[in-house]
């Protein structure tokens, strides 16, 4: 049967989602946990790769297993075999044609900035520290230009090979509560580092180093170096995958 | 001059606030950071002691130092000398009769519960995991009985010596957002372990092991063993000190 799952992880101590030769990854940890339940190796597929240090609250994945165990029970079984910074939130039996990556209709990411003269002792592992006071209204104005179907070449890590750099972003929302600024980005698909480059560009708008209108021009210009820096990995969380 | 400060810390790796003989504490780390600024040892006083593993967002403290450095600058100076899980949020010059403990008019604590069948990979270090579904409405009803001036002997760790166990609690609020239940407790003063015993008792109400009315009877009965367990330290954060 095909078992689908939702997994939450603190990415601080992992070299991202995808299996690597010499580094510990989240996919590897889940495959290792499955090994004790099955004679052979089981490959786990995720909805999206997350980079080293990036977190997930609602990464989705699936695997195939021959088992009499009801699919719902795998949550408990896997959690007893996984480290505390990787937690399965739900498992269920999926249709055989369900695919965590190809069936996904969209994703929500949240990028968190700690905006104060001091960094955060409590939220440091989940936020990027920006000491300069950011202008939230300007960031929200700039965010509006990002919404829509555009060629996001300027917001794609250089050197990544994709057929097309056109993507659809449905929502970019900038919200501040106490010292934490949350940038929520929803879209049907994302380029490599796209959300972190969006965050880095909005931070420059917040610092008044770029105007909101310049963000529109950056999209049109399709040149990576015109956009902002790639914001720190620890600020990013894959919040939810939509099906 | 007397310098007052607000400090945030992740208590996970500390044996609480107060200096101990063989353990690393937050007070010790701040005193060590001050050593490099002064010829002799400077003692730091905090508004309240926090136990091993308990966090603070707004612990307040003070120290006396002979220095030409403006008091506001100590925030930056101390933060460069402190570990990342201890962050000074503000420093200012206080009146000479200001005392972080004796001048305090009250404190706010927040106790966080992660209420889901799985624990949290992201918030595990800041929450107590309770897998059973808790009845928030009953917890809030029980909370109302705690508000007021009462003899809180039943909510005080046994063996602690205090002149009186009468305390005034101004607010107990139970709120749920997603999987996280926040119990906010404000009062003029607290007994040893009092907030964690309040949280432990409200958890039993949420599990329907105690009725809200029984909490009133527990207060009146003044017997520690009638109240609930002392909830885990990592769920507790000293949120703010009022002056």
């Amino acid at each position: 049967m095909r078992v689908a799952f939702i997994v939450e992880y603190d990415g601080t101590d992992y070299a991202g989602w995808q299996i690597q030769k010499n580094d510990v990854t989240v996919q590897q940890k889940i495959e290792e946990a499955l090994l004790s339940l099955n004679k052979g190796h089981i490959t786990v597929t995720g909805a999206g790769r997350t980079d080293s240090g990036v977190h997930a609250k609602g990464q989705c994945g699936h695997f195939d297993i021959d088992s009499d165990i009801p699919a719902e029970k795998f949550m408990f079984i896997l959690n007893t075999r996984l480290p505390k910074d990787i937690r399965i939130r739900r498992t269920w039996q999926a249709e055989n044609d369900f695919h965590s990556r190809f069936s996904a209709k969209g994703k929500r990411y949240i990028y968190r900035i700690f905006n104060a003269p001091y960094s955060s002792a409590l939220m440091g592992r989940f936020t990027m520290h920006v000491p300069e006071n950011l202008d939230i209204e300007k960031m929200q104005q700039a965010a509006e230009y990002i919404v829509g179907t555009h060629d996001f070449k300027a917001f794609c890590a250089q050197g990544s090979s994709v057929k097309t750099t056109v993507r659809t972003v449905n929502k970019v929302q900038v919200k501040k509560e106490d010292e934490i600024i949350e940038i929520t980005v929803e879209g049907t698909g994302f380029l490599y580092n796209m959300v972190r480059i969006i965050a880095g560009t909005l931070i420059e708008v917040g610092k008044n180093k770029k105007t909101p209108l310049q963000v529109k021009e950056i999209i049109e210009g399709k040149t990576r170096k015109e956009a902002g820096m790639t914001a720190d990995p620890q600020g990013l969380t894959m919040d939810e995958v939509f099906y």
Side-chain angles (χ1 to χ4, degrees), chain A:
Chain A
M1 67 176 161
R2 181 151 290 191
V3 177
F5 62 88
I6 295 172
V7 61
E8 173 178 324
Y9 48 87
D10 177 339
T12 310
D13 295 331
Y14 297 97
W17 167 263
Q18 200 186 21
I19 289 215
Q20 308 276 336
K21 231 178 181 174
N22 298 310
D23 281 312
V24 182
T25 66
V26 178
Q27 184 192 356
Q28 174 197 336
K29 283 291 175 188
I30 300 174
E31 291 186 359
E32 282 174 8
L34 280 167
L35 252 189
S36 56
L37 298 172
N38 199 60
K39 275 173 208 161
H41 176 85
I42 290 174
T43 299
V44 161
T45 303
R49 296 167 191 178
T50 53
D51 276 338
S52 186
V54 170
H55 315 288
K57 187 171 162 68
Q59 165 80 290
C60 192
H62 73 274
F63 56 85
D64 293 319
I65 192 168
D66 244 343
S67 173
D68 297 331
I69 303 169
E72 301 75 43
K73 300 265 177 196
F74 278 99
M75 177 188 85
F76 299 100
I77 296 170
L78 287 170
N79 280 339
T80 60
R81 288 161 170 81
L82 282 165
K84 290 252 179 266
D85 53 7
I86 302 177
R87 294 285 95 184
I88 306 288
R89 293 172 58 192
R90 198 182 143 211
T91 50
W92 69 97
Q93 185 167 352
E95 300 293 321
N96 284 330
D97 63 353
F98 171 84
H99 190 286
S100 53
R101 190 159 95 221
F102 302 130
S103 307
K105 291 205 169 70
K107 290 194 197 85
R108 183 195 302 121
Y109 285 92
I110 299 180
Y111 195 90
R112 292 185 176 86
I113 298 159
F114 195 80
N115 191 27
Y118 46 90
S119 63
S120 176
L122 295 168
M123 292 300 285
R125 61 167 61 211
F126 305 122
T127 54
M128 174 173 173
H129 179 217
V130 177
E132 300 93 338
N133 193 31
L134 298 179
D135 186 327
I136 306 297
E137 271 182 49
K138 287 209 175 137
M139 289 170 77
Q140 184 59 54
Q141 282 168 32
E144 308 295 339
Y145 291 116
I146 297 167
V147 175
T149 302
H150 305 289
D151 185 339
F152 282 102
K153 203 178 169 206
F155 294 83
C156 180
Q158 273 172 317
S160 61
S161 61
V162 279
K163 276 184 204 155
T164 167
T165 44
V166 174
R167 292 291 183 276
T168 300
V169 172
N170 301 116
K171 179 181 177 176
V172 185
Q173 188 188 62
V174 185
K175 235 177 44 179
K176 189 172 182 182
E177 202 180 316
D178 297 326
E179 301 100 334
I180 294 175
I181 297 171
E182 280 192 1
I183 303 173
T184 302
V185 184
E186 288 179 17
T188 54
F190 293 93
L191 300 164
Y192 187 52
N193 276 352
M194 182 167 150
V195 181
R196 286 166 60 190
I197 299 170
I198 289 175
T201 306
L202 292 182
I203 287 168
E204 292 191 18
V205 171
K207 287 180 183 175
N208 285 313
K209 288 190 180 173
K210 288 188 183 0
T211 64
L213 192 63
Q214 268 177 294
V215 172
K216 184 174 185 276
E217 293 161 8
I218 291 165
I219 296 170
E220 290 164 358
K222 298 176 199 171
T223 310
R224 170 65 190 95
K225 71 173 169 37
E226 297 298 323
M229 44 117 205
T230 305
D232 293 353
Q234 81 279 0
L236 186 62
T237 301
M238 181 194 270
D239 192 60
E240 197 175 336
V241 183
F242 306 119
Y243 291 97

